[in-house]
Amino acid sequence: MANEITDENNQNLSEEETKEINGNEDGEEDESQFDDPEGFVDTISDKDLLGDVLAKRPSPEDGIDSLIVVDNVPVVGQDRLDKLKNVIKKVFSKFGKIVNEFYPEENGKTKGYIFIEYANEKDAAQAVKIANGYKLDKHHIFIVNPFSSFDCMLDLEEDWSPPEKEPYEDKGNLHSWLLDADCNDQYSVIHGGGEKVDIYLNTSTEPVLLKERPGWTETYVTWSPQGTYLATFHKQGIALWGGDEFSRIGKFGHQGVQMIDFSPCERYIVTFSPLPDTPSDPQSIIIWDVRTGAKKRAFQCGNVARWPVFKWSHKGEYFARIRDEAISIYEIPSFGLLDKKSIKVPSISDFAWSPGDNVISYWLPEIKDTPARVTIMAVPGREELRVKNLFNVATCKMYWQNKGDYLCVVVDRYTKSKKALHYNMEIFHLREKQIPVDTLELKEAVSAFAWEPQGDTFAIIHGESPKISASFYRCQKGGHTTLLKTFEKKQVNNIFWAPRGQFCVLAGLRGMNGTMEFYDLNEVALMNVGEHFTATDVEWDPSGRYVSTSVSWWAQKVDNGYNIWSFQGKLLQRHSINQFCQMLWRPRPQTLLSDDQVTKIKSEIKKYQKMFENKDRMSQKKASKELIEKRRSMMREFLEYRDRKKREFQEQEDQRHELRKGFEDLQEEVDDFEEESVEFFIKEEQSIVE
């Protein structure tokens, strides 16, 4: 029977006993028997009894942190809804598993925003971080926010009040150095083993100290491409300085930063730090907005060992890198992939931007029976402008002329036996129809290559010691290149062109004897030869009037300092500085004059020559007068000091006698002083009397 309950000995209970246990006569439980007595107070809470179960109970906030809202989604009807869902899922499934999605509708069409729920909060945060600003097409750029951020909208005040206007902060004239009447350039000097930084104004006689600051940087400094900012390095990040007094313009926090790179337009900077990072939270490479200090995007460094990791287009509209056998090109200001996909180039070795156009060049090595290939491609259309196949290639190096008129590819090739190398240069003439390519055969390896700025000439250093040669070539119309002249038996390994072209310095640096050879390419002739023993660096000033050579303490522990030469090879200044580290000229922005205006000024230079010569002569006389006056002032100060000490000596005569009593054997006082005149040569001037 249903109401029977058996004991441990399987004996049946009576019907009344069963009713007593189960309740009433119908077998129903009597709930009144389980009621607590009146006045009973339960001291055990539900949390004590069921704490582990209650901890897992759902709450109204569950799922909110894993929910995102995507705005600016295309408004479509039912006929295109499935296609839209596929596109959205393709974009947002990259960040994690999507568990739910909702497309609000009105009048048979979507409302332009959607809700997406991820499996966890981490995936949702990643989607907000990366997909915000994603460009679906030119009319639809996603705005992605976490659903939890909408709570703050509920607390908005009904009466809107405009934000308070922040006071204007005058950061000074960031281009003040360009207003110098004599167009003198500035340069920075790091010395004291890196503990001191000085800023100087260069003049024809001696530099003028503008600013000095100990501990200004912890490693080194660098100028922005147009000279507007000076960047210094610190443990916490990068600081930018500028204006008349070099006040701080901005700071960018990147712990342990080691490298920096500016975009050509100076609008963005790229910083690198060897911080550990993950794909979900990259920290190694960060791109910043210089004006606002905002962090625009972060990237992983990957296995790239060269800096800069990103290469910028000539105007800073695009930046690109090689990643996973592809060229990834990103566009400004969205910082997203161009056309949302990389350019797949299997086994790519290197690429470079044209300095004059939105054009890239890249080369691929040989793979089995497929020859090596150099490709020139237009951006953003990805149109291949020219392709050149190369055979038996060991390696290639690409060199763009600074206006983008020419591209030279220096190729090292294997012989048929592959036991030796032979060499040639492939020169692409990009401004001519169908981009003709001129091939030059060489007998020796090229160790250095450099194009003439603003020109069609280039220089190479080829051969091995002691038979090192320097050759100059000129490109001509019709896809032809001619040899201008070869200079043999040289002790040089680097080429440095003046910023305006025409003049060139060939130098033997770092391991060579420090020879400096100055060339004029209008005459293709050697103007002068100088020497800066154990020199490590050479740098032209932006005007092309001066060139500096230096011995850095970072590379060489003795004979540290820098020299300044004229463009003709005349030594003008010699500065020996203990623990000198670095000397950098401050760059200038590009001239606002057109090519025709520059050509006209060059043709009329004789009009200004006499004026410039008179001005130089006056400045030299002024400098001589200032030097003489300075020395006279020092002489007067010395004579006044000597007279004062002589009077003090005479006034103390009685005290000396008193102190010397009993010491007759001491040397007698010497009261006589001898004066000596010193003459030195200051300057010699010659004038012709007609």
Side-chain angles (χ1 to χ4, degrees):
M1 296 178 62
N3 292 333
E4 288 185 353
I5 301 178
T6 58
D7 62 4
E8 295 179 357
N9 298 322
N10 294 324
Q11 294 178 349
N12 292 335
L13 298 178
S14 65
E15 185 176 352
E16 292 184 0
E17 290 175 331
T18 303
K19 290 181 180 180
E20 184 179 352
I21 295 175
N22 291 336
N24 54 26
E25 295 181 356
D26 297 331
E28 296 180 357
E29 294 183 356
D30 187 1
E31 295 182 358
S32 61
Q33 304 220 3
F34 297 95
D35 291 343
D36 294 327
E38 186 177 353
F40 175 78
V41 178
D42 193 355
T43 58
I44 301 177
S45 64
D46 292 342
K47 185 176 180 181
D48 294 334
L49 291 174
L50 305 171
D52 54 341
V53 176
L54 293 176
K56 298 178 181 180
R57 66 181 176 181
S59 65
E61 292 79 15
D62 284 350
I64 290 181
D65 292 335
S66 58
L67 183 64
I68 65 172
V69 182
V70 184
D71 202 359
N72 209 16
V73 177
V75 177
V76 299
Q78 293 295 327
D79 55 333
R80 298 176 58 194
L81 182 59
D82 291 339
K83 185 176 180 180
L84 175 63
K85 289 183 177 181
N86 291 334
V87 173
I88 295 296
K89 187 169 292 185
K90 183 178 179 181
V91 174
F92 286 91
S93 61
K94 298 177 182 178
F95 310 113
K97 181 180 179 182
I98 297 176
V99 298
N100 195 10
E101 54 185 343
F102 177 63
Y103 291 74
E105 297 181 10
E106 185 177 24
N107 299 327
K109 290 187 176 181
T110 59
K111 288 188 174 183
Y113 61 90
I114 62 174
F115 299 88
I116 297 177
E117 182 181 0
Y118 284 92
N120 55 66
E121 177 185 349
K122 186 178 180 181
D123 294 342
Q126 184 72 2
V128 172
K129 186 176 182 180
I130 298 179
N132 187 38
Y134 180 87
K135 186 177 180 181
L136 186 65
D137 54 47
K138 63 181 181 180
H139 299 296
H140 299 91
I141 300 176
F142 291 157
I143 300 174
V144 186
N145 290 288
F147 184 81
S148 57
S149 65
F150 285 82
D151 291 342
C152 63
M153 302 297 180
L154 302 176
D155 300 330
L156 294 177
E157 298 180 1
E158 295 184 1
D159 297 330
W160 178 82
S161 58
E164 294 184 5
K165 186 177 180 180
E166 296 184 3
Y168 171 71
E169 181 182 356
D170 186 6
K171 297 181 179 180
N173 184 0
L174 300 181
H175 298 91
S176 58
W177 90 98
L178 299 174
L179 303 178
D180 184 79
D182 296 325
C183 296
N184 291 317
D185 287 295
Q186 298 179 6
Y187 60 86
S188 63
V189 172
I190 300 178
H191 59 101
E195 296 182 358
K196 299 179 181 178
V197 178
D198 299 338
I199 308 295
Y200 288 95
L201 177 70
N202 183 51
T203 66
S204 58
T205 53
E206 60 181 11
V208 178
L209 179 63
L210 299 178
K211 195 74 175 180
E212 61 178 339
R213 188 174 296 175
W216 204 348
T217 184
E218 296 181 10
T219 53
Y220 64 100
V221 302
T222 186
W223 296 98
S224 59
Q226 299 179 22
T228 308
Y229 307 105
L230 177 71
T232 58
F233 290 74
H234 310 273
K235 293 179 181 179
Q236 296 83 4
I238 295 292
L240 297 185
W241 312 79
D244 296 333
E245 298 297 325
F246 287 94
S247 56
R248 192 173 68 187
I249 305 300
K251 56 181 180 179
F252 308 88
H254 196 178
Q255 194 72 24
V257 63
Q258 294 183 356
M259 300 289 184
I260 186 176
D261 181 42
F262 283 86
S263 65
C265 58
E266 296 187 337
R267 182 66 188 273
Y268 305 100
I269 59 172
V270 186
T271 59
F272 165 75
S273 175
L275 293 175
D277 58 4
T278 61
S280 60
D281 188 22
Q283 295 291 332
S284 294
I285 301 174
I286 300 177
I287 301 181
W288 309 83
D289 189 306
V290 171
R291 297 176 186 175
T292 64
K295 179 179 176 181
K296 306 303 294 186
R297 185 165 178 182
F299 296 86
Q300 282 188 288
C301 179
N303 298 323
V304 179
R306 280 184 288 179
W307 183 262
V309 173
F310 292 106
K311 298 180 181 180
W312 292 85
S313 62
H314 69 296
K315 291 184 178 180
E317 299 172 307
Y318 305 96
F319 61 96
R321 70 182 296 187
I322 295 177
R323 190 77 182 268
D324 299 330
E325 295 191 336
I327 302 176
S328 299
I329 302 178
Y330 301 86
E331 56 184 339
I332 299 299
S334 67
F335 292 87
L337 268 176
L338 179 64
D339 296 333
K340 299 186 284 294
K341 60 182 178 180
S342 299
I343 303 173
K344 294 296 182 181
V345 190
S347 303
I348 183 173
S349 293
D350 196 12
F351 81 99
W353 284 97
S354 165
D357 305 280
N358 288 331
V359 171
I360 61 172
S361 62
Y362 62 87
W363 77 276
L364 311 176
E366 289 186 75
I367 303 175
K368 296 182 180 180
D369 297 331
T370 305
R373 187 170 79 249
V374 175
T375 303
I376 299 176
M377 178 183 291
V379 175
R382 307 192 184 194
E383 175 190 358
E384 292 187 352
L385 304 178
R386 188 68 161 86
V387 177
K388 175 74 173 180
N389 290 330
L390 304 171
F391 298 90
N392 301 320
V393 173
T395 185
C396 290
K397 293 182 180 179
M398 298 178 293
Y399 302 93
W400 280 94
Q401 187 248 13
N402 76 324
K403 296 173 68 175
D405 296 342
Y406 306 98
L407 169 66
C408 181
V409 181
V410 180
V411 186
D412 295 351
R413 300 175 183 266
Y414 292 111
T415 59
K416 291 183 179 180
S417 63
K418 294 192 175 182
K419 294 182 179 179
L421 293 173
H422 62 100
Y423 316 94
N424 70 285
M425 294 184 293
E426 307 285 344
I427 302 172
F428 295 74
H429 296 246
L430 275 86
R431 304 304 180 196
E432 298 187 33
K433 189 176 181 180
Q434 295 182 348
I435 310 181
V437 182
D438 188 18
T439 301
L440 299 179
E441 298 290 340
L442 301 172
K443 296 180 180 180
E444 300 169 316
V446 176
S447 58
F449 181 103
W451 283 99
E452 175 191 13
Q454 315 296 329
D456 52 10
T457 303
F458 64 86
I460 64 171
I461 296 175
H462 51 98
E464 297 180 357
S465 183
K467 296 181 179 181
I468 298 177
S469 301
S471 298
F472 295 90
Y473 292 83
R474 179 163 292 159
C475 297
Q476 298 175 339
K477 291 184 178 180
H480 300 295
T481 305
T482 57
L483 174 64
L484 299 179
K485 195 170 184 179
T486 296
F487 298 88
E488 299 179 345
K489 297 181 180 180
K490 298 296 178 182
Q491 293 297 315
V492 294
N493 57 4
N494 284 271
I495 306 168
F496 301 94
W497 284 94
R500 303 293 179 184
Q502 182 179 349
F503 302 104
C504 178
V505 173
L506 303 183
L509 304 178
R510 297 180 182 264
M512 301 193 78
N513 54 10
T515 299
M516 305 292 161
E517 298 185 352
F518 296 80
Y519 290 85
D520 182 355
L521 267 296
N522 277 359
E523 305 295 334
V524 196
L526 176 63
M527 295 186 296
N528 205 349
V529 177
E531 183 181 14
H532 191 171
F533 186 66
T534 67
T536 58
D537 301 282
V538 174
E539 188 172 340
W540 283 89
D541 83 317
S543 69
R545 293 181 292 175
Y546 305 98
V547 61
S548 65
T549 61
S550 58
V551 179
S552 173
W553 182 77
W554 289 333
Q556 179 80 19
K557 300 303 181 184
V558 295
D559 299 328
N560 304 130
Y562 66 96
N563 296 343
I564 295 181
W565 312 68
S566 71
F567 68 94
Q568 296 170 323
K570 180 181 178 181
L571 181 60
L572 302 177
Q573 302 175 27
R574 192 190 301 271
H575 302 277
S576 296
I577 303 177
N578 185 35
Q579 292 186 326
F580 163 85
C581 298
Q582 182 192 55
M583 185 268 199
L584 289 177
W585 292 98
R586 187 173 191 174
R588 285 176 174 264
Q590 293 184 355
T591 178
L592 300 177
L593 300 176
S594 65
D595 292 340
D596 294 337
Q597 290 174 319
V598 172
T599 302
K600 183 179 179 181
I601 291 174
K602 287 183 178 180
S603 64
E604 298 176 352
I605 192 65
K606 290 184 178 180
K607 292 183 180 180
Y608 309 102
Q609 185 172 353
K610 290 184 179 180
M611 180 181 68
F612 292 150
E613 289 177 351
N614 291 334
K615 195 169 185 178
D616 289 342
R617 194 177 298 113
M618 292 295 294
S619 64
Q620 291 175 0
K621 287 183 178 180
K622 181 181 178 181
S624 300
K625 290 179 181 178
E626 291 177 350
L627 180 62
I628 292 172
E629 183 60 34
K630 182 179 180 180
R631 289 175 175 172
R632 285 177 177 172
S633 176
M634 294 174 65
M635 188 64 182
R636 286 194 298 269
E637 291 178 3
F638 169 73
L639 292 176
E640 291 175 359
Y641 176 80
R642 190 183 68 170
D643 292 341
R644 186 169 65 253
K645 292 303 177 182
K646 285 175 67 175
R647 290 194 299 270
E648 292 178 1
F649 183 79
Q650 293 173 357
E651 292 172 356
Q652 295 171 357
E653 182 177 5
D654 294 339
Q655 296 180 15
R656 290 197 302 275
H657 283 296
E658 184 68 25
L659 293 172
R660 291 176 179 175
K661 283 183 179 180
F663 296 93
E664 293 79 11
D665 57 337
L666 293 176
Q667 183 180 1
E668 295 182 358
E669 297 181 54
V670 180
D671 295 329
D672 297 332
F673 295 89
E674 295 183 1
E675 294 187 2
E676 181 180 357
S677 299
V678 179
E679 296 182 358
F680 51 88
F681 176 78
I682 297 177
K683 186 179 180 183
E684 179 181 0
E685 291 187 358
Q686 295 181 356
S687 59
I688 300 175
V689 180
E690 297 182 355

